[in-house]
Amino acid sequence: MADNSNSNKEEFQALHNGGTKPRIVSNLNRDYQPKPLGEQSRALNRQTIMVIIGNLGVMSIGMGLGLPTITQNPMTDTNEKVYLTQSQFTWFASLNLLAAPLGGLLSGVLLDKLGRKYTIYTLNILALISWLLLAIASKEDNDIMFIELMISRFLIGVTHGLSSAPVGVYSAEISTPKIRGRLILGTSISVSLGITIIYVLGYFIRSDWRLIGWICTTFQLLTLISVLPMPESPNWLISKGRLPEARKTLNYFRGLDKKAVITHPEVLAEFNILQKNIQLAEGQKTPSFWKSLRLPEVYKPLLILIGMFAFQQLTGIFVIIVYAVQISMEAGVSIDPFMCAVLIGLARLLTTCPMAYLLEKWGRRRAGMISAAGMTVSMTLLAIQNQPWLRDIPFLPVIAIVSFIVLSTLGIFTLPFFMISELFPQHVRGRASGLTVAFGTLAAFFCTKTYPGMRDAIGNEYCFVIYGVVSFAAMIFVYLVLPETRRRTLFEIEEQFRKKKSLKPTLVEMNEICVK
């Protein structure tokens, strides 16, 4: 027994000191192996807190998306001194999505030129101005009020485009692979939380939309103050040659003192790998962004994500968010439609929170297929709810709408934002992310702006049929095209695209997913 114990201790010391891993390691050894430095509680807390702070500003995007749902009735009330016509309100509801592509393209430039931190500062400042314009909109002149509201919505739209990539990219670059998924997902959680908050505000404040503007302005000001101390991403600092600052931030995010010298061998090894990969990319005379689009590691993920964003919008996800109250009323929901909107917001929020766990357990492709299949069923039920054999099912419209929201959040709504931070290589990540988001938000504008006309032309039932058919097509797209990035590093994903290898899970990996 003594010999066995000594042998275990020697093996443990060899591992701890960087020696060669023995062929057979006892269970006792595994228990003694320390966690990697970046996965210890101090490092994980720092990574998590910074990502949460960065995502506070993203909540404004959700608030902006849900705002038309709670303001349509008071803003179009002809008994008020100033009000919007129905045509003007459709622009209020959709202009933010038309402006978002500009923000998406601007995001790519700012991420590369200014860095992740200052891009996050910029989106918070624009959101603050937008909410302030909403709060102080004219109470005397219709035309002036309309112009102010359009500028407000344009700015929140630019903010929407700006916000879709930087916090996710920042999360991916500061985190360890163990928690990368849940941190990247923070952006989707923040959007869902923002939608829920604005629905709750609308439930309690049904007529004074300017008061809602003041509440959001105050929140945005506090958010701007909170993001000021955020450290920059070490990846970006290395790419700009600011090595002392990069060492400081990497030390910080790995739980060490914020010093310009790295003394811990594990952090030093990570820093050297990052520096080598970035310098290697620079040494290869990386082509311009537009020439980079010819590279398989760029154009393949770009086409895949554009397809995902197209399906995300054409399934009617944003239409349900923007017109939640109106769709609930027209679908025959028997409860307070504002309460139904709150339930929709809560359903999305509660479903988004465990998504990091589900994506790690199921994998990206399985989550996307389950999501699209469920959305198909939900939209079909909503389309045929008036059939005699379904009329007696209590609360069927509520069940169908909330189920659609829950199931879309499980994959089709969340995955494009989640994977945008995983698929693109470092040297084009900013601009490629911006271009992808620009396409997604342009598709969102098209769907949101045309929904009222499509509803009037063919009726809600056939709108729901179309959304159901597109959801089914999305399921096929995910099965055939979407790569599996579960448990792969960013470098491995890039290499597999470059070498034209399949990123679909192997049979062994699928068995692991099923067992777990």
Side-chain angles (χ1 to χ4, degrees):
M1 290 292 291
D3 291 341
N4 209 18
S5 176
N6 289 334
S7 175
N8 286 335
K9 288 180 180 177
E10 288 172 2
E11 288 181 1
F12 168 73
Q13 285 195 333
L15 285 171
H16 186 67
N17 293 328
T20 304
K21 183 176 179 180
R23 293 182 181 177
I24 300 176
V25 181
S26 67
N27 290 333
L28 183 60
N29 275 66
R30 292 194 184 96
D31 293 339
Y32 281 143
Q33 286 179 3
K35 290 181 179 179
L37 191 67
E39 295 181 7
Q40 294 178 13
S41 58
R42 190 179 187 191
L44 295 181
N45 289 339
R46 287 179 176 179
Q47 295 165 32
T48 302
I49 289 170
M50 285 302 122
V51 172
I52 289 173
I53 290 173
N55 275 312
L56 288 175
V58 180
M59 288 171 60
S60 277
I61 308 311
M63 294 177 182
L65 286 172
L67 186 65
T69 290
I70 64 169
T71 57
Q72 180 170 6
N73 291 335
M75 280 188 173
T76 58
D77 186 355
T78 55
N79 294 320
E80 296 291 331
K81 186 174 182 180
V82 290
Y83 59 90
L84 299 179
T85 65
Q86 290 295 334
S87 176
Q88 288 175 329
F89 186 82
T90 62
W91 281 105
F92 177 84
S94 59
L95 182 62
N96 59 313
L97 299 172
L98 181 62
L102 175 62
L105 297 174
L106 185 61
S107 171
V109 176
L110 295 182
L111 280 171
D112 289 336
K113 299 296 183 183
L114 299 184
R116 288 49 168 150
K117 178 175 71 172
Y118 284 103
T119 304
I120 294 172
Y121 289 177
T122 303
L123 71 89
N124 277 277
I125 292 170
L126 290 177
L128 177 63
I129 297 171
S130 170
W131 290 118
L132 184 60
L133 283 172
L134 179 73
I136 64 173
S138 175
K139 298 180 180 179
E140 303 295 331
D141 189 292
N142 264 25
D143 293 335
I144 294 176
M145 182 189 74
F146 179 64
I147 292 171
E148 290 171 334
L149 291 181
M150 290 302 98
I151 296 173
S152 171
R153 295 297 284 173
F154 179 85
L155 289 177
I156 203 66
V158 174
T159 306
H160 183 165
L162 270 177
S163 70
S164 298
V167 184
V169 171
Y170 182 81
S171 304
E173 293 179 346
I174 70 168
S175 61
T176 54
K178 180 179 179 180
I179 64 167
R180 187 183 76 208
R182 73 188 76 163
L183 292 188
I184 293 175
L185 196 65
T187 298
S188 295
I189 293 175
S190 296
V191 172
S192 298
L193 183 57
I195 292 171
T196 305
I197 289 173
I198 205 71
Y199 286 170
V200 171
L201 286 175
Y203 178 79
F204 289 104
I205 307 172
R206 302 200 178 193
S207 58
D208 193 348
W209 49 267
R210 291 182 180 83
L211 175 58
I212 293 175
W214 281 115
I215 293 172
C216 294
T217 300
T218 303
F219 167 78
Q220 198 65 51
L221 179 61
L222 295 175
T223 297
L224 176 60
I225 294 170
S226 70
V227 301
L228 294 178
M230 286 180 68
E232 182 55 88
S233 156
N235 298 51
W236 184 81
L237 291 169
I238 292 173
S239 71
K240 298 302 178 183
R242 295 160 60 174
L243 300 185
E245 294 174 71
R247 295 188 188 99
K248 284 182 181 180
T249 56
L250 191 59
N251 273 328
Y252 175 80
F253 286 120
R254 297 304 174 257
L256 302 175
D257 293 335
K258 203 172 183 180
K259 295 180 179 179
V261 178
I262 298 176
T263 57
H264 195 286
E266 187 179 311
V267 181
L268 183 60
E270 182 181 359
F271 180 85
N272 288 337
I273 291 172
L274 281 174
Q275 187 178 14
K276 182 179 179 180
N277 289 339
I278 292 172
Q279 288 177 345
L280 182 63
E282 292 173 349
Q284 291 174 340
K285 296 182 179 180
T286 303
S288 67
F289 172 69
W290 297 110
K291 289 184 178 179
S292 295
L293 292 177
R294 302 174 186 173
L295 302 174
E297 65 269 28
V298 178
Y299 75 76
K300 284 185 178 180
L302 182 66
L303 292 175
I304 289 168
L305 286 170
I306 284 177
M308 286 297 293
F309 272 109
F311 280 113
Q312 180 197 72
Q313 297 308 322
L314 294 173
T315 54
I317 293 175
F318 271 38
V319 170
I320 298 291
I321 293 173
V322 172
Y323 295 104
V325 170
Q326 292 72 32
I327 288 175
S328 298
M329 294 172 65
E330 292 164 2
V333 171
S334 56
I335 64 173
D336 183 341
F338 282 88
M339 177 55 69
C340 185
V342 172
L343 292 175
I344 290 172
L346 285 173
R348 184 178 296 284
L349 175 62
L350 294 176
T351 309
T352 305
C353 290
M355 274 302 297
Y357 169 77
L358 293 176
L359 288 174
E360 287 304 312
K361 184 177 178 63
W362 293 348
R364 281 48 161 169
R365 296 179 73 246
R366 175 177 284 197
M369 291 175 63
I370 292 173
S371 170
M375 291 164 64
T376 303
V377 174
S378 298
M379 277 293 148
T380 301
L381 286 175
L382 205 55
I384 63 173
Q385 61 169 308
N386 290 323
Q387 296 298 315
W389 52 283
L390 289 175
R391 288 176 184 171
D392 294 334
I393 299 178
F395 305 111
L396 180 60
V398 177
I399 294 171
I401 292 173
V402 173
S403 296
F404 177 81
I405 292 298
V406 169
L407 290 159
S408 68
T409 307
L410 284 176
I412 299 301
F413 177 78
T414 308
L415 279 174
F417 297 110
F418 186 91
M419 298 184 75
I420 200 172
S421 303
E422 291 186 320
L423 297 188
F424 291 121
Q426 166 75 28
H427 68 280
V428 297
R429 189 170 296 150
R431 296 193 181 188
S433 299
L435 181 62
T436 308
V437 170
F439 176 86
T441 51
L442 192 62
F445 166 77
F446 171 79
C447 294
T448 306
K449 186 72 172 69
T450 58
Y451 167 73
M454 186 169 72
R455 176 199 60 201
D456 294 340
I458 63 176
N460 260 333
E461 293 83 358
Y462 288 102
C463 290
F464 299 147
V465 168
I466 291 173
Y467 296 149
V469 170
V470 176
S471 297
F472 183 77
M475 180 179 66
I476 297 174
F477 178 85
V478 169
Y479 176 75
L480 295 176
V481 178
L482 191 70
E484 183 55 73
T485 59
R486 175 178 177 264
R487 296 182 180 175
R488 288 179 168 90
T489 66
L490 300 180
F491 184 71
E492 287 172 343
I493 296 168
E494 179 181 343
E495 280 296 296
Q496 288 186 315
F497 274 124
R498 181 181 292 119
K499 295 178 180 179
K500 302 181 180 181
K501 291 183 179 180
S502 174
L503 273 171
K504 292 184 179 181
T506 64
L507 183 60
V508 173
E509 291 172 322
M510 285 300 294
N511 288 335
E512 287 180 0
I513 293 172
C514 293
V515 170
K516 295 181 179 181

